[in-house]
Protein backbone atom coordinates (compact mmCIF):
# COMPACT_ATOMS: atom_id res chain seq x y z
CA UNK A 1 0.00 0.00 0.00
CA UNK A 2 1.19 3.47 -0.80
CA UNK A 3 0.62 5.61 2.23
CA UNK A 4 1.55 9.19 2.03
CA UNK A 5 1.11 12.05 4.39
CA UNK A 6 0.08 15.40 3.06
CA UNK A 7 -1.22 18.68 4.16
CA UNK A 8 -4.89 19.51 4.45
CA UNK A 9 -6.32 22.79 3.33
CA UNK A 10 -5.63 25.01 6.32
CA UNK A 11 -8.43 27.47 5.75
CA UNK A 12 -10.98 24.69 5.59
CA UNK A 13 -9.77 23.11 8.81
CA UNK A 14 -9.60 26.46 10.58
CA UNK A 15 -13.08 27.36 9.38
CA UNK A 16 -14.42 24.14 10.86
CA UNK A 17 -12.68 24.75 14.14
CA UNK A 18 -14.18 28.21 14.46
CA UNK A 19 -17.68 26.94 13.85
CA UNK A 20 -17.31 24.41 16.61
CA UNK A 21 -17.46 20.67 16.04
CA UNK A 22 -20.75 18.90 15.58
CA UNK A 23 -20.80 15.13 15.60
CA UNK A 24 -20.69 14.95 11.79
CA UNK A 25 -17.71 17.26 11.63
CA UNK A 26 -15.64 14.73 13.54
CA UNK A 27 -16.10 12.16 10.81
CA UNK A 28 -13.17 11.63 8.52
CA UNK A 29 -13.79 12.41 4.86
CA UNK A 30 -12.98 9.63 2.46
CA UNK A 31 -12.96 9.74 -1.34
CA UNK A 32 -13.13 6.56 -3.42
CA UNK A 33 -12.61 6.55 -7.18
CA UNK A 34 -14.99 3.84 -8.48
CA UNK A 35 -18.24 2.24 -7.32
CA UNK A 36 -16.82 -1.10 -6.04
CA UNK A 37 -14.39 0.83 -3.83
CA UNK A 38 -17.33 2.84 -2.52
CA UNK A 39 -19.12 -0.37 -1.46
CA UNK A 40 -15.97 -1.78 0.15
CA UNK A 41 -15.18 1.44 1.99
CA UNK A 42 -18.73 2.13 3.15
CA UNK A 43 -18.91 -1.32 4.72
CA UNK A 44 -15.70 -0.73 6.67
CA UNK A 45 -16.33 2.93 7.52
CA UNK A 46 -19.93 2.49 8.69
CA UNK A 47 -21.17 5.68 10.35
CA UNK A 48 -17.71 6.90 11.32
CA UNK A 49 -16.67 8.40 8.00
CA UNK A 50 -18.22 10.39 5.19
CA UNK A 51 -17.55 8.35 2.09
CA UNK A 52 -18.00 9.91 -1.32
CA UNK A 53 -17.24 8.50 -4.75
CA UNK A 54 -15.32 10.71 -7.14
CA UNK A 55 -16.62 9.44 -10.48
CA UNK A 56 -20.30 10.18 -10.97
CA UNK A 57 -22.62 7.28 -11.71
CA UNK A 58 -22.22 6.44 -15.40
CA UNK A 59 -18.67 7.78 -15.86
CA UNK A 60 -16.19 5.05 -16.89
CA UNK A 61 -12.72 5.07 -15.30
CA UNK A 62 -10.65 4.21 -18.39
CA UNK A 63 -11.03 7.59 -20.07
CA UNK A 64 -11.91 9.91 -17.18
CA UNK A 65 -10.48 13.37 -16.67
CA UNK A 66 -10.62 15.38 -13.45
CA UNK A 67 -12.76 18.50 -13.19
CA UNK A 68 -11.67 21.48 -11.02
CA UNK A 69 -14.43 20.44 -8.57
CA UNK A 70 -12.90 16.96 -8.36
CA UNK A 71 -9.53 18.45 -7.41
CA UNK A 72 -11.14 20.46 -4.60
CA UNK A 73 -13.08 17.42 -3.41
CA UNK A 74 -9.89 15.36 -3.28
CA UNK A 75 -7.97 18.06 -1.43
CA UNK A 76 -10.60 18.16 1.31
CA UNK A 77 -10.51 14.42 2.03
CA UNK A 78 -8.38 12.86 4.73
CA UNK A 79 -8.25 9.58 2.84
CA UNK A 80 -8.15 8.89 -0.89
CA UNK A 81 -8.81 5.28 -1.90
CA UNK A 82 -7.55 4.30 -5.34
CA UNK A 83 -8.03 1.05 -7.22
CA UNK A 84 -4.42 1.08 -8.43
CA UNK A 85 -2.94 -1.09 -11.24
CA UNK A 86 -2.82 2.02 -13.45
CA UNK A 87 -6.62 2.44 -13.64
CA UNK A 88 -6.54 6.02 -12.34
CA UNK A 89 -3.97 7.50 -14.71
CA UNK A 90 -5.92 10.78 -14.56
CA UNK A 91 -5.24 10.85 -10.83
CA UNK A 92 -1.54 10.00 -11.06
CA UNK A 93 -0.92 13.34 -12.70
CA UNK A 94 -2.43 15.22 -9.76
CA UNK A 95 -0.58 13.04 -7.27
CA UNK A 96 2.72 13.50 -9.16
CA UNK A 97 2.26 17.28 -9.12
CA UNK A 98 2.28 17.14 -5.35
CA UNK A 99 -1.23 18.49 -4.84
CA UNK A 100 -2.16 15.33 -3.03
CA UNK A 101 1.21 14.11 -1.81
CA UNK A 102 2.33 17.17 0.07
CA UNK A 103 4.74 15.94 2.69
CA UNK A 104 5.18 19.25 4.52
CA UNK A 105 3.98 19.37 8.09
CA UNK A 106 0.64 21.03 8.69
CA UNK A 107 -2.91 20.60 9.86
CA UNK A 108 -4.06 17.06 9.19
CA UNK A 109 -2.54 14.52 6.86
CA UNK A 110 -3.98 12.91 3.78
CA UNK A 111 -3.57 9.22 3.23
CA UNK A 112 -3.52 7.86 -0.31
CA UNK A 113 -4.26 4.13 -0.28
CA UNK A 114 -3.61 1.85 -3.23
CA UNK A 115 -6.23 -0.88 -2.77
CA UNK A 116 -4.35 -3.29 -5.06
CA UNK A 117 -1.37 -3.64 -2.73
CA UNK A 118 -0.67 -7.34 -2.13
CA UNK A 119 -2.79 -8.61 -5.04
CA UNK A 120 -1.20 -10.94 -7.60
CA UNK A 121 -1.54 -8.66 -10.63
CA UNK A 122 -2.17 -9.86 -14.18
CA UNK A 123 -0.24 -7.40 -16.33
CA UNK A 124 -2.37 -4.67 -17.92
CA UNK A 125 -5.63 -5.80 -16.31
CA UNK A 126 -6.77 -3.31 -13.65
CA UNK A 127 -10.18 -5.02 -13.04
CA UNK A 128 -9.08 -6.62 -9.79
CA UNK A 129 -12.45 -6.09 -8.04
CA UNK A 130 -14.18 -8.63 -10.29
CA UNK A 131 -12.80 -11.44 -8.15
CA UNK A 132 -14.09 -11.36 -4.54
CA UNK A 133 -10.77 -12.93 -3.48
CA UNK A 134 -9.06 -9.73 -4.57
CA UNK A 135 -11.86 -7.73 -2.97
CA UNK A 136 -10.93 -9.24 0.40
CA UNK A 137 -7.38 -7.89 0.02
CA UNK A 138 -8.71 -4.50 -1.12
CA UNK A 139 -10.96 -4.33 1.95
CA UNK A 140 -7.98 -5.04 4.23
CA UNK A 141 -6.01 -2.22 2.57
CA UNK A 142 -8.98 0.13 2.99
CA UNK A 143 -9.33 -0.89 6.65
CA UNK A 144 -5.64 -0.11 7.25
CA UNK A 145 -5.96 3.32 5.59
CA UNK A 146 -9.00 4.24 7.72
CA UNK A 147 -7.22 3.12 10.87
CA UNK A 148 -4.19 5.20 9.95
CA UNK A 149 -6.40 8.27 9.43
CA UNK A 150 -8.55 7.66 12.50
CA UNK A 151 -6.68 5.41 14.97
CA UNK A 152 -9.12 6.15 17.79
CA UNK A 153 -11.73 4.06 15.98
CA UNK A 154 -9.44 1.19 14.96
CA UNK A 155 -11.58 -1.37 16.78
CA UNK A 156 -14.73 -0.27 14.97
CA UNK A 157 -13.12 -0.44 11.50
CA UNK A 158 -11.54 -3.80 12.27
CA UNK A 159 -14.85 -5.30 13.37
CA UNK A 160 -16.69 -3.93 10.32
CA UNK A 161 -14.00 -5.22 7.95
CA UNK A 162 -14.17 -8.68 9.53
CA UNK A 163 -17.94 -8.85 9.08
CA UNK A 164 -17.76 -7.66 5.48
CA UNK A 165 -14.94 -10.07 4.60
CA UNK A 166 -17.15 -12.91 5.89
CA UNK A 167 -19.80 -11.78 3.41
CA UNK A 168 -17.26 -11.64 0.58
CA UNK A 169 -16.10 -15.15 1.46
CA UNK A 170 -19.69 -16.33 1.26
CA UNK A 171 -19.92 -14.70 -2.17
CA UNK A 172 -16.69 -16.47 -3.19
CA UNK A 173 -18.09 -19.85 -2.13
CA UNK A 174 -21.29 -19.17 -4.09
CA UNK A 175 -19.29 -18.37 -7.22
CA UNK A 176 -17.12 -21.49 -6.80
CA UNK A 177 -20.20 -23.67 -6.51
CA UNK A 178 -21.74 -22.32 -9.72
CA UNK A 179 -18.59 -22.00 -11.83
CA UNK A 180 -17.45 -25.48 -10.79
CA UNK A 181 -20.53 -27.00 -12.39
CA UNK A 182 -20.57 -24.95 -15.63
CA UNK A 183 -20.62 -26.98 -18.81
CA UNK A 184 -18.60 -24.37 -20.71
CA UNK A 185 -15.46 -22.75 -19.37
CA UNK A 186 -14.47 -20.46 -22.24
CA UNK A 187 -15.98 -17.13 -23.06
CA UNK A 188 -15.58 -14.01 -25.17
CA UNK A 189 -16.05 -10.63 -23.51
CA UNK A 190 -16.38 -7.09 -24.80
CA UNK A 191 -13.23 -5.74 -23.13
CA UNK A 192 -10.55 -7.51 -21.15
CA UNK A 193 -12.12 -7.23 -17.71
CA UNK A 194 -12.66 -10.76 -16.44
CA UNK A 195 -9.12 -12.17 -16.28
CA UNK A 196 -9.03 -12.23 -12.46
CA UNK A 197 -12.48 -13.75 -12.28
CA UNK A 198 -11.44 -16.37 -14.85
CA UNK A 199 -8.17 -17.12 -13.02
CA UNK A 200 -9.81 -17.57 -9.64
CA UNK A 201 -12.77 -19.64 -10.85
CA UNK A 202 -11.25 -21.89 -13.52
CA UNK A 203 -12.65 -20.13 -16.60
CA UNK A 204 -10.87 -18.87 -19.70
CA UNK A 205 -11.29 -15.62 -21.58
CA UNK A 206 -10.75 -16.89 -25.13
CA UNK A 207 -10.91 -13.47 -26.77
CA UNK A 208 -11.97 -9.85 -26.24
CA UNK A 209 -13.89 -7.82 -28.81
CA UNK A 210 -12.39 -4.44 -27.90
CA UNK A 211 -8.62 -4.67 -28.10
CA UNK A 212 -8.49 -1.49 -26.00
CA UNK A 213 -11.26 -0.46 -23.57
CA UNK A 214 -13.79 2.08 -24.86
CA UNK A 215 -12.21 1.91 -28.34
CA UNK A 216 -13.66 0.51 -31.58
CA UNK A 217 -11.82 -2.66 -32.64
CA UNK A 218 -9.96 -2.83 -35.96
CA UNK A 219 -11.21 -5.20 -38.71
CA UNK A 220 -8.01 -7.21 -38.28
CA UNK A 221 -8.69 -7.69 -34.57
CA UNK A 222 -12.28 -8.74 -35.32
CA UNK A 223 -10.94 -11.41 -37.68
CA UNK A 224 -8.77 -12.75 -34.82
CA UNK A 225 -11.79 -12.74 -32.50
CA UNK A 226 -13.87 -14.67 -35.06
CA UNK A 227 -11.11 -17.25 -35.41
CA UNK A 228 -10.90 -17.65 -31.62
CA UNK A 229 -14.67 -18.08 -31.42
CA UNK A 230 -14.63 -20.81 -34.10
CA UNK A 231 -11.53 -22.59 -32.72
CA UNK A 232 -12.92 -22.70 -29.18
CA UNK A 233 -16.46 -23.52 -30.29
CA UNK A 234 -17.80 -20.56 -28.33
CA UNK A 235 -21.58 -20.09 -28.34
CA UNK A 236 -21.88 -16.98 -26.19
CA UNK A 237 -20.59 -13.39 -26.19
CA UNK A 238 -20.58 -11.36 -23.01
CA UNK A 239 -21.28 -7.75 -23.77
CA UNK A 240 -21.79 -4.95 -21.23
CA UNK A 241 -24.89 -2.94 -20.35
CA UNK A 242 -24.99 0.59 -21.72
CA UNK A 243 -22.40 -0.05 -24.43
CA UNK A 244 -23.11 0.38 -28.18
CA UNK A 245 -23.80 -3.11 -29.45
CA UNK A 246 -23.15 -2.80 -33.18
CA UNK A 247 -19.95 -4.86 -33.38
CA UNK A 248 -21.36 -7.40 -30.96
CA UNK A 249 -24.61 -7.71 -32.91
CA UNK A 250 -22.76 -8.19 -36.20
CA UNK A 251 -20.53 -10.89 -34.70
CA UNK A 252 -23.48 -12.61 -33.08
CA UNK A 253 -25.43 -12.63 -36.34
CA UNK A 254 -22.49 -13.82 -38.47
CA UNK A 255 -21.48 -16.63 -36.12
CA UNK A 256 -24.91 -17.46 -34.71
CA UNK A 257 -24.03 -16.60 -31.10
CA UNK A 258 -26.12 -15.64 -28.10
CA UNK A 259 -25.38 -12.29 -26.46
CA UNK A 260 -25.59 -11.76 -22.69
CA UNK A 261 -24.61 -8.75 -20.61
CA UNK A 262 -22.02 -9.06 -17.86
CA UNK A 263 -21.43 -5.95 -15.79
CA UNK A 264 -17.81 -4.95 -15.18
CA UNK A 265 -18.92 -2.83 -12.19
CA UNK A 266 -16.95 0.14 -13.48
CA UNK A 267 -19.96 2.38 -13.20
CA UNK A 268 -22.86 2.00 -10.84
CA UNK A 269 -24.76 2.97 -7.75
CA UNK A 270 -23.38 3.94 -4.38
CA UNK A 271 -24.63 1.81 -1.50
CA UNK A 272 -22.94 -0.80 0.70
CA UNK A 273 -24.62 -3.91 -0.74
CA UNK A 274 -24.17 -2.87 -4.38
CA UNK A 275 -20.99 -4.87 -5.06
CA UNK A 276 -22.42 -8.15 -3.80
CA UNK A 277 -25.74 -7.61 -5.58
CA UNK A 278 -24.01 -6.94 -8.90
CA UNK A 279 -21.65 -9.91 -8.57
CA UNK A 280 -24.61 -12.20 -7.83
CA UNK A 281 -26.50 -10.80 -10.83
CA UNK A 282 -23.46 -11.50 -13.02
CA UNK A 283 -23.30 -15.01 -11.64
CA UNK A 284 -26.91 -15.67 -12.65
CA UNK A 285 -26.11 -14.52 -16.19
CA UNK A 286 -23.00 -16.68 -16.31
CA UNK A 287 -24.94 -19.70 -15.11
CA UNK A 288 -27.61 -19.21 -17.73
CA UNK A 289 -25.16 -18.55 -20.55
CA UNK A 290 -22.59 -21.25 -19.89
CA UNK A 291 -24.71 -24.19 -18.81
CA UNK A 292 -26.04 -24.71 -22.33
ZN1 LIG B 1 -12.64 -1.81 -17.93
Amino acid sequence: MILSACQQEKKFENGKMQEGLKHDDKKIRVITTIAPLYSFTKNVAGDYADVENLLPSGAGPHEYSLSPEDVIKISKAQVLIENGVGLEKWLDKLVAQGDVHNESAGVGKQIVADSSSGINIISNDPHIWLSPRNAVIQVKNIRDALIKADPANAGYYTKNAEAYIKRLERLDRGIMEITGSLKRKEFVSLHSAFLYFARDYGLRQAAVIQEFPETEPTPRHITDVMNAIRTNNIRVIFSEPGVPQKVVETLAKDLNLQVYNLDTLETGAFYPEWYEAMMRANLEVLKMAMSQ
Side-chain angles (χ1 to χ4, degrees):
M1 179 169 21
I2 300 163
L3 289 176
S4 174
C6 79
Q7 195 175 18
Q8 282 292 321
E9 236 185 295
K10 265 185 191 166
K11 270 183 207 159
F12 173 77
E13 284 290 329
N14 290 342
K16 286 251 161 173
M17 292 303 218
Q18 280 154 18
E19 281 166 25
L21 290 169
K22 283 182 250 144
H23 176 68
D24 274 6
D25 292 336
K26 288 183 188 164
K27 291 182 179 181
I28 53 168
R29 296 166 68 131
V30 183
I31 296 278
T32 57
T33 53
I34 56 169
L37 295 177
Y38 180 90
S39 277
F40 300 163
T41 305
K42 193 69 191 151
N43 277 291
V44 180
D47 297 329
Y48 284 35
D50 280 327
V51 185
E52 196 183 345
N53 200 68
L54 189 67
L55 268 66
S57 179
H62 290 295
E63 301 295 333
Y64 192 70
S65 53
L66 290 172
S67 69
E69 291 78 21
D70 287 339
V71 176
I72 293 168
K73 222 185 258 177
I74 292 167
S75 75
K76 287 182 176 174
Q78 279 88 1
V79 183
L80 170 63
I81 310 277
E82 297 182 358
N83 179 70
V85 205
L87 184 72
E88 297 100 337
K89 290 202 176 73
W90 31 267
L91 201 57
D92 292 351
K93 216 172 160 192
L94 176 76
V95 171
Q97 281 167 359
D99 293 298
V100 175
H101 285 88
N102 186 339
E103 296 283 350
S104 60
V107 182
K109 288 180 173 188
Q110 189 175 52
I111 288 157
V112 180
D114 178 345
S115 77
S116 72
S117 180
I119 289 173
N120 184 7
I121 298 300
I122 298 170
S123 63
N124 296 327
D125 189 349
H127 307 82
I128 47 177
W129 62 88
L130 289 171
S131 166
R133 294 185 197 170
N134 290 341
V136 167
I137 299 172
Q138 291 181 281
V139 166
K140 288 178 180 171
N141 288 331
I142 291 165
R143 173 200 65 199
D144 292 348
L146 295 184
I147 290 174
K148 184 149 182 163
D150 183 17
N153 291 311
Y156 178 77
Y157 298 132
T158 303
K159 205 174 106 243
N160 285 354
E162 255 169 42
Y164 186 52
I165 286 169
K166 279 209 178 98
R167 275 160 48 194
L168 292 175
E169 286 168 349
R170 206 175 308 143
L171 177 65
D172 170 55
R173 284 195 297 275
I175 297 173
M176 272 201 293
E177 217 171 277
I178 302 276
T179 50
S181 65
L182 289 177
K183 200 172 137 199
R184 297 179 177 275
K185 302 285 183 189
E186 277 150 345
F187 63 92
V188 168
S189 60
L190 186 69
H191 84 289
S192 186
F194 294 97
L195 288 176
Y196 296 96
F197 186 90
R199 178 180 72 185
D200 286 351
Y201 301 105
L203 306 178
R204 195 171 81 84
Q205 182 178 274
V208 287
I209 295 167
Q210 292 177 339
E211 207 173 356
F212 306 102
E214 296 169 37
T215 310
E216 278 290 305
T218 61
R220 193 204 157 106
H221 179 72
I222 289 296
T223 307
D224 291 345
V225 173
M226 290 173 87
N227 288 337
I229 289 171
R230 289 198 189 97
T231 311
N232 294 289
N233 192 26
I234 283 170
R235 309 302 321 143
V236 167
I237 294 182
F238 291 118
S239 191
E240 294 161 27
V243 170
Q245 305 273 344
K246 199 161 169 273
V247 182
V248 175
E249 277 167 15
T250 310
L251 270 178
K253 209 174 146 213
D254 289 354
L255 298 174
N256 192 26
L257 307 172
Q258 301 239 41
V259 179
Y260 292 86
N261 277 342
L262 273 189
D263 203 305
T264 61
L265 280 66
E266 280 164 72
T267 61
F270 308 114
Y271 59 92
E273 299 81 14
W274 179 80
Y275 173 79
E276 294 151 278
M278 295 301 287
M279 290 298 288
R280 290 210 161 87
N282 271 348
L283 192 58
E284 284 306 309
V285 173
L286 205 69
K287 191 174 155 187
M288 207 178 349
M290 295 177 65
S291 302
Q292 314 169 11

